[in-house]
Amino acid sequence: IDVNLKNVTILLYNTTSLVGSSNSTLSSFLVNNTYLLQTTYYFNATAYDLAENFNRTETRTIIIGVVNVSSCQGLLVPGDYILNQNVNSNLDCLNITANDVHLDCKGYKLTGNDIGPISQGNVLIGSIMEATKQYGTFGVFIDQVNHTLIKNCLITNFSAGIFSFETVNITLINNTIYNNTQYGIELLCSHNANVSRNVIYNNFYGFNLYHGDNTTSSHNLIYNNDVGIFNLNTNSSFFSHDRVYNNFY
């Protein structure tokens, strides 16, 4: 018990207004909000002492239910995202920068307007993100996060269909990735990946693994790429029941 504590106030907002306010004289207490709609909410807490000094937490984000995606954007907070229409893009389309993002495209398509191939020549790994952002476009870019799921996406006409940089625990399942000028799927310095039941064709590199560990690839169909599978400086990569054919290499 904090004898100098006057009260703690927790405020809950949606995107437009205050939804609820809870107060307590205890330093630890539980707030239970029921019957909330499926949307995005924000909350913070403020503690006041008897001298009216106060300290406020950062404002945090909660997503209840799924978030519909109908345009190119950043997926910035954890949650379940569903693509609800085909989307065209002149630049990168979906950028994932939060842990625990699950993206289900429901069979809809991301279509780019590729500006040219990614260049990795003479680029240090620490600056590869800046280099690739300068020289290429991405259907889905996954940047230094944990626990990502991407499924049921059609991705075409980018420099890279799916590009993962320093991501851990990534699952790519049942995607169709084709006609991308450089990579279908690129896992760069990414670990613990499960890549299964994807169709990857007509890219320069179909499936590229570089500086990563513990990748499992199974039941993928990889064909008509310049390079079917490229695997460099990886450990414990396991390939099972993939069909790889009609690639130049």
Side-chain angles (χ1 to χ4, degrees), residues 87-110:
V87 177
N88 296 321
S89 176
N90 291 322
L91 300 172
D92 299 340
C93 195
L94 300 178
N95 294 313
I96 298 175
T97 56
N99 296 327
D100 300 302
V101 167
H102 298 164
L103 170 64
D104 186 350
C105 291
K106 296 292 185 180
Y108 287 109
K109 184 190 298 185
L110 305 177

PDB file of all heavy atoms in Angstrom, residues 87-110:
ATOM      1  N   VAL A  87      -5.502  -4.524 -54.205  1.00  0.00           N
ATOM      2  CA  VAL A  87      -4.844  -3.240 -53.959  1.00  0.00           C
ATOM      3  C   VAL A  87      -3.692  -3.058 -54.939  1.00  0.00           C
ATOM      4  O   VAL A  87      -2.891  -3.978 -55.141  1.00  0.00           O
ATOM      5  CB  VAL A  87      -4.307  -3.163 -52.510  1.00  0.00           C
ATOM      6  CG1 VAL A  87      -3.548  -1.860 -52.285  1.00  0.00           C
ATOM      7  CG2 VAL A  87      -5.452  -3.280 -51.509  1.00  0.00           C
ATOM      8  N   ASN A  88      -3.615  -1.880 -55.549  1.00  0.00           N
ATOM      9  CA  ASN A  88      -2.508  -1.526 -56.443  1.00  0.00           C
ATOM     10  C   ASN A  88      -1.608  -0.511 -55.753  1.00  0.00           C
ATOM     11  O   ASN A  88      -2.061   0.315 -54.958  1.00  0.00           O
ATOM     12  CB  ASN A  88      -3.033  -0.925 -57.745  1.00  0.00           C
ATOM     13  CG  ASN A  88      -3.857  -1.920 -58.542  1.00  0.00           C
ATOM     14  OD1 ASN A  88      -3.525  -3.100 -58.609  1.00  0.00           O
ATOM     15  ND2 ASN A  88      -4.938  -1.449 -59.151  1.00  0.00           N
ATOM     16  N   SER A  89      -0.308  -0.561 -56.086  1.00  0.00           N
ATOM     17  CA  SER A  89       0.646   0.323 -55.423  1.00  0.00           C
ATOM     18  C   SER A  89       1.769   0.708 -56.365  1.00  0.00           C
ATOM     19  O   SER A  89       2.253  -0.120 -57.141  1.00  0.00           O
ATOM     20  CB  SER A  89       1.234  -0.363 -54.189  1.00  0.00           C
ATOM     21  OG  SER A  89       2.223   0.450 -53.599  1.00  0.00           O
ATOM     22  N   ASN A  90       2.199   1.972 -56.287  1.00  0.00           N
ATOM     23  CA  ASN A  90       3.388   2.412 -57.007  1.00  0.00           C
ATOM     24  C   ASN A  90       4.645   2.302 -56.150  1.00  0.00           C
ATOM     25  O   ASN A  90       5.763   2.422 -56.671  1.00  0.00           O
ATOM     26  CB  ASN A  90       3.227   3.864 -57.461  1.00  0.00           C
ATOM     27  CG  ASN A  90       2.190   4.011 -58.548  1.00  0.00           C
ATOM     28  OD1 ASN A  90       2.076   3.162 -59.423  1.00  0.00           O
ATOM     29  ND2 ASN A  90       1.401   5.071 -58.489  1.00  0.00           N
ATOM     30  N   LEU A  91       4.471   2.090 -54.836  1.00  0.00           N
ATOM     31  CA  LEU A  91       5.601   1.979 -53.914  1.00  0.00           C
ATOM     32  C   LEU A  91       5.451   0.681 -53.129  1.00  0.00           C
ATOM     33  O   LEU A  91       4.870  -0.277 -53.614  1.00  0.00           O
ATOM     34  CB  LEU A  91       5.630   3.205 -53.000  1.00  0.00           C
ATOM     35  CG  LEU A  91       5.791   4.561 -53.699  1.00  0.00           C
ATOM     36  CD1 LEU A  91       5.598   5.695 -52.707  1.00  0.00           C
ATOM     37  CD2 LEU A  91       7.161   4.660 -54.362  1.00  0.00           C
ATOM     38  N   ASP A  92       6.015   0.627 -51.916  1.00  0.00           N
ATOM     39  CA  ASP A  92       5.764  -0.515 -51.048  1.00  0.00           C
ATOM     40  C   ASP A  92       4.279  -0.546 -50.702  1.00  0.00           C
ATOM     41  O   ASP A  92       3.611   0.481 -50.673  1.00  0.00           O
ATOM     42  CB  ASP A  92       6.566  -0.392 -49.755  1.00  0.00           C
ATOM     43  CG  ASP A  92       8.062  -0.351 -50.006  1.00  0.00           C
ATOM     44  OD1 ASP A  92       8.491  -0.781 -51.091  1.00  0.00           O
ATOM     45  OD2 ASP A  92       8.798   0.120 -49.122  1.00  0.00           O
ATOM     46  N   CYS A  93       3.788  -1.755 -50.394  1.00  0.00           N
ATOM     47  CA  CYS A  93       2.365  -1.828 -50.078  1.00  0.00           C
ATOM     48  C   CYS A  93       2.135  -2.004 -48.578  1.00  0.00           C
ATOM     49  O   CYS A  93       1.717  -1.070 -47.912  1.00  0.00           O
ATOM     50  CB  CYS A  93       1.691  -2.936 -50.870  1.00  0.00           C
ATOM     51  SG  CYS A  93      -0.117  -2.778 -50.839  1.00  0.00           S
ATOM     52  N   LEU A  94       2.420  -3.156 -48.025  1.00  0.00           N
ATOM     53  CA  LEU A  94       2.153  -3.398 -46.604  1.00  0.00           C
ATOM     54  C   LEU A  94       3.468  -3.540 -45.853  1.00  0.00           C
ATOM     55  O   LEU A  94       4.272  -4.428 -46.149  1.00  0.00           O
ATOM     56  CB  LEU A  94       1.301  -4.658 -46.433  1.00  0.00           C
ATOM     57  CG  LEU A  94      -0.062  -4.627 -47.121  1.00  0.00           C
ATOM     58  CD1 LEU A  94      -0.789  -5.946 -46.921  1.00  0.00           C
ATOM     59  CD2 LEU A  94      -0.908  -3.463 -46.628  1.00  0.00           C
ATOM     60  N   ASN A  95       3.692  -2.664 -44.875  1.00  0.00           N
ATOM     61  CA  ASN A  95       4.906  -2.672 -44.063  1.00  0.00           C
ATOM     62  C   ASN A  95       4.562  -3.116 -42.645  1.00  0.00           C
ATOM     63  O   ASN A  95       3.801  -2.434 -41.945  1.00  0.00           O
ATOM     64  CB  ASN A  95       5.546  -1.283 -44.030  1.00  0.00           C
ATOM     65  CG  ASN A  95       6.064  -0.873 -45.386  1.00  0.00           C
ATOM     66  OD1 ASN A  95       6.738  -1.638 -46.067  1.00  0.00           O
ATOM     67  ND2 ASN A  95       5.738   0.345 -45.793  1.00  0.00           N
ATOM     68  N   ILE A  96       5.122  -4.243 -42.217  1.00  0.00           N
ATOM     69  CA  ILE A  96       4.834  -4.793 -40.893  1.00  0.00           C
ATOM     70  C   ILE A  96       5.964  -4.424 -39.948  1.00  0.00           C
ATOM     71  O   ILE A  96       7.109  -4.859 -40.135  1.00  0.00           O
ATOM     72  CB  ILE A  96       4.665  -6.320 -40.962  1.00  0.00           C
ATOM     73  CG1 ILE A  96       3.470  -6.673 -41.868  1.00  0.00           C
ATOM     74  CG2 ILE A  96       4.463  -6.906 -39.569  1.00  0.00           C
ATOM     75  CD1 ILE A  96       3.294  -8.157 -42.108  1.00  0.00           C
ATOM     76  N   THR A  97       5.649  -3.628 -38.934  1.00  0.00           N
ATOM     77  CA  THR A  97       6.662  -3.171 -37.976  1.00  0.00           C
ATOM     78  C   THR A  97       6.249  -3.462 -36.538  1.00  0.00           C
ATOM     79  O   THR A  97       6.800  -2.864 -35.610  1.00  0.00           O
ATOM     80  CB  THR A  97       6.942  -1.673 -38.155  1.00  0.00           C
ATOM     81  OG1 THR A  97       5.716  -0.938 -38.029  1.00  0.00           O
ATOM     82  CG2 THR A  97       7.562  -1.384 -39.523  1.00  0.00           C
ATOM     83  N   ALA A  98       5.289  -4.348 -36.338  1.00  0.00           N
ATOM     84  CA  ALA A  98       4.846  -4.721 -34.989  1.00  0.00           C
ATOM     85  C   ALA A  98       4.948  -6.232 -34.831  1.00  0.00           C
ATOM     86  O   ALA A  98       4.815  -6.991 -35.794  1.00  0.00           O
ATOM     87  CB  ALA A  98       3.407  -4.266 -34.742  1.00  0.00           C
ATOM     88  N   ASN A  99       5.179  -6.672 -33.591  1.00  0.00           N
ATOM     89  CA  ASN A  99       5.127  -8.101 -33.292  1.00  0.00           C
ATOM     90  C   ASN A  99       3.691  -8.611 -33.387  1.00  0.00           C
ATOM     91  O   ASN A  99       2.726  -7.850 -33.279  1.00  0.00           O
ATOM     92  CB  ASN A  99       5.657  -8.366 -31.879  1.00  0.00           C
ATOM     93  CG  ASN A  99       7.113  -7.995 -31.731  1.00  0.00           C
ATOM     94  OD1 ASN A  99       7.898  -8.113 -32.673  1.00  0.00           O
ATOM     95  ND2 ASN A  99       7.494  -7.563 -30.536  1.00  0.00           N
ATOM     96  N   ASP A 100       3.577  -9.913 -33.582  1.00  0.00           N
ATOM     97  CA  ASP A 100       2.271 -10.591 -33.503  1.00  0.00           C
ATOM     98  C   ASP A 100       1.257 -10.018 -34.487  1.00  0.00           C
ATOM     99  O   ASP A 100       0.105  -9.736 -34.131  1.00  0.00           O
ATOM    100  CB  ASP A 100       1.718 -10.529 -32.076  1.00  0.00           C
ATOM    101  CG  ASP A 100       2.639 -11.206 -31.074  1.00  0.00           C
ATOM    102  OD1 ASP A 100       2.930 -12.397 -31.247  1.00  0.00           O
ATOM    103  OD2 ASP A 100       3.092 -10.521 -30.131  1.00  0.00           O
ATOM    104  N   VAL A 101       1.674  -9.864 -35.726  1.00  0.00           N
ATOM    105  CA  VAL A 101       0.769  -9.460 -36.801  1.00  0.00           C
ATOM    106  C   VAL A 101       0.399 -10.688 -37.628  1.00  0.00           C
ATOM    107  O   VAL A 101       1.278 -11.428 -38.089  1.00  0.00           O
ATOM    108  CB  VAL A 101       1.410  -8.389 -37.698  1.00  0.00           C
ATOM    109  CG1 VAL A 101       0.608  -8.211 -38.997  1.00  0.00           C
ATOM    110  CG2 VAL A 101       1.502  -7.066 -36.957  1.00  0.00           C
ATOM    111  N   HIS A 102      -0.897 -10.897 -37.813  1.00  0.00           N
ATOM    112  CA  HIS A 102      -1.406 -11.980 -38.636  1.00  0.00           C
ATOM    113  C   HIS A 102      -2.174 -11.361 -39.806  1.00  0.00           C
ATOM    114  O   HIS A 102      -3.183 -10.680 -39.592  1.00  0.00           O
ATOM    115  CB  HIS A 102      -2.333 -12.894 -37.836  1.00  0.00           C
ATOM    116  CG  HIS A 102      -1.654 -13.571 -36.686  1.00  0.00           C
ATOM    117  ND1 HIS A 102      -2.339 -14.173 -35.656  1.00  0.00           N
ATOM    118  CD2 HIS A 102      -0.336 -13.739 -36.402  1.00  0.00           C
ATOM    119  CE1 HIS A 102      -1.484 -14.684 -34.783  1.00  0.00           C
ATOM    120  NE2 HIS A 102      -0.267 -14.428 -35.227  1.00  0.00           N
ATOM    121  N   LEU A 103      -1.693 -11.599 -41.018  1.00  0.00           N
ATOM    122  CA  LEU A 103      -2.307 -11.025 -42.217  1.00  0.00           C
ATOM    123  C   LEU A 103      -2.904 -12.140 -43.060  1.00  0.00           C
ATOM    124  O   LEU A 103      -2.201 -13.068 -43.471  1.00  0.00           O
ATOM    125  CB  LEU A 103      -1.259 -10.259 -43.030  1.00  0.00           C
ATOM    126  CG  LEU A 103      -1.692  -9.791 -44.427  1.00  0.00           C
ATOM    127  CD1 LEU A 103      -2.826  -8.765 -44.333  1.00  0.00           C
ATOM    128  CD2 LEU A 103      -0.507  -9.215 -45.193  1.00  0.00           C
ATOM    129  N   ASP A 104      -4.198 -12.036 -43.328  1.00  0.00           N
ATOM    130  CA  ASP A 104      -4.900 -12.967 -44.210  1.00  0.00           C
ATOM    131  C   ASP A 104      -5.456 -12.170 -45.379  1.00  0.00           C
ATOM    132  O   ASP A 104      -6.351 -11.336 -45.207  1.00  0.00           O
ATOM    133  CB  ASP A 104      -6.029 -13.661 -43.447  1.00  0.00           C
ATOM    134  CG  ASP A 104      -6.715 -14.754 -44.266  1.00  0.00           C
ATOM    135  OD1 ASP A 104      -6.442 -14.852 -45.482  1.00  0.00           O
ATOM    136  OD2 ASP A 104      -7.520 -15.501 -43.691  1.00  0.00           O
ATOM    137  N   CYS A 105      -4.918 -12.423 -46.571  1.00  0.00           N
ATOM    138  CA  CYS A 105      -5.358 -11.663 -47.745  1.00  0.00           C
ATOM    139  C   CYS A 105      -6.645 -12.213 -48.359  1.00  0.00           C
ATOM    140  O   CYS A 105      -7.195 -11.592 -49.284  1.00  0.00           O
ATOM    141  CB  CYS A 105      -4.259 -11.647 -48.807  1.00  0.00           C
ATOM    142  SG  CYS A 105      -2.802 -10.682 -48.347  1.00  0.00           S
ATOM    143  N   LYS A 106      -7.107 -13.364 -47.887  1.00  0.00           N
ATOM    144  CA  LYS A 106      -8.382 -13.931 -48.349  1.00  0.00           C
ATOM    145  C   LYS A 106      -8.423 -14.104 -49.868  1.00  0.00           C
ATOM    146  O   LYS A 106      -9.505 -14.052 -50.481  1.00  0.00           O
ATOM    147  CB  LYS A 106      -9.550 -13.045 -47.901  1.00  0.00           C
ATOM    148  CG  LYS A 106      -9.741 -12.954 -46.396  1.00  0.00           C
ATOM    149  CD  LYS A 106     -10.198 -14.273 -45.801  1.00  0.00           C
ATOM    150  CE  LYS A 106     -10.508 -14.157 -44.333  1.00  0.00           C
ATOM    151  NZ  LYS A 106     -10.957 -15.448 -43.741  1.00  0.00           N
ATOM    152  N   GLY A 107      -7.266 -14.311 -50.499  1.00  0.00           N
ATOM    153  CA  GLY A 107      -7.218 -14.511 -51.944  1.00  0.00           C
ATOM    154  C   GLY A 107      -7.169 -13.241 -52.762  1.00  0.00           C
ATOM    155  O   GLY A 107      -7.127 -13.301 -53.998  1.00  0.00           O
ATOM    156  N   TYR A 108      -7.155 -12.073 -52.109  1.00  0.00           N
ATOM    157  CA  TYR A 108      -7.040 -10.818 -52.845  1.00  0.00           C
ATOM    158  C   TYR A 108      -5.581 -10.561 -53.237  1.00  0.00           C
ATOM    159  O   TYR A 108      -4.653 -11.148 -52.679  1.00  0.00           O
ATOM    160  CB  TYR A 108      -7.583  -9.657 -52.011  1.00  0.00           C
ATOM    161  CG  TYR A 108      -9.089  -9.649 -51.905  1.00  0.00           C
ATOM    162  CD1 TYR A 108      -9.724  -9.962 -50.705  1.00  0.00           C
ATOM    163  CD2 TYR A 108      -9.880  -9.328 -53.016  1.00  0.00           C
ATOM    164  CE1 TYR A 108     -11.104  -9.960 -50.602  1.00  0.00           C
ATOM    165  CE2 TYR A 108     -11.264  -9.321 -52.913  1.00  0.00           C
ATOM    166  CZ  TYR A 108     -11.874  -9.639 -51.710  1.00  0.00           C
ATOM    167  OH  TYR A 108     -13.238  -9.637 -51.622  1.00  0.00           O
ATOM    168  N   LYS A 109      -5.397  -9.629 -54.173  1.00  0.00           N
ATOM    169  CA  LYS A 109      -4.098  -9.429 -54.812  1.00  0.00           C
ATOM    170  C   LYS A 109      -3.490  -8.075 -54.468  1.00  0.00           C
ATOM    171  O   LYS A 109      -4.179  -7.052 -54.452  1.00  0.00           O
ATOM    172  CB  LYS A 109      -4.251  -9.541 -56.331  1.00  0.00           C
ATOM    173  CG  LYS A 109      -2.944  -9.438 -57.112  1.00  0.00           C
ATOM    174  CD  LYS A 109      -3.202  -9.302 -58.610  1.00  0.00           C
ATOM    175  CE  LYS A 109      -3.913 -10.492 -59.179  1.00  0.00           C
ATOM    176  NZ  LYS A 109      -4.031 -10.376 -60.664  1.00  0.00           N
ATOM    177  N   LEU A 110      -2.177  -8.094 -54.211  1.00  0.00           N
ATOM    178  CA  LEU A 110      -1.370  -6.880 -54.128  1.00  0.00           C
ATOM    179  C   LEU A 110      -0.588  -6.770 -55.428  1.00  0.00           C
ATOM    180  O   LEU A 110       0.186  -7.672 -55.769  1.00  0.00           O
ATOM    181  CB  LEU A 110      -0.403  -6.948 -52.949  1.00  0.00           C
ATOM    182  CG  LEU A 110      -0.987  -7.209 -51.560  1.00  0.00           C
ATOM    183  CD1 LEU A 110       0.136  -7.310 -50.529  1.00  0.00           C
ATOM    184  CD2 LEU A 110      -1.973  -6.121 -51.171  1.00  0.00           C
TER     185      LEU A 110
END
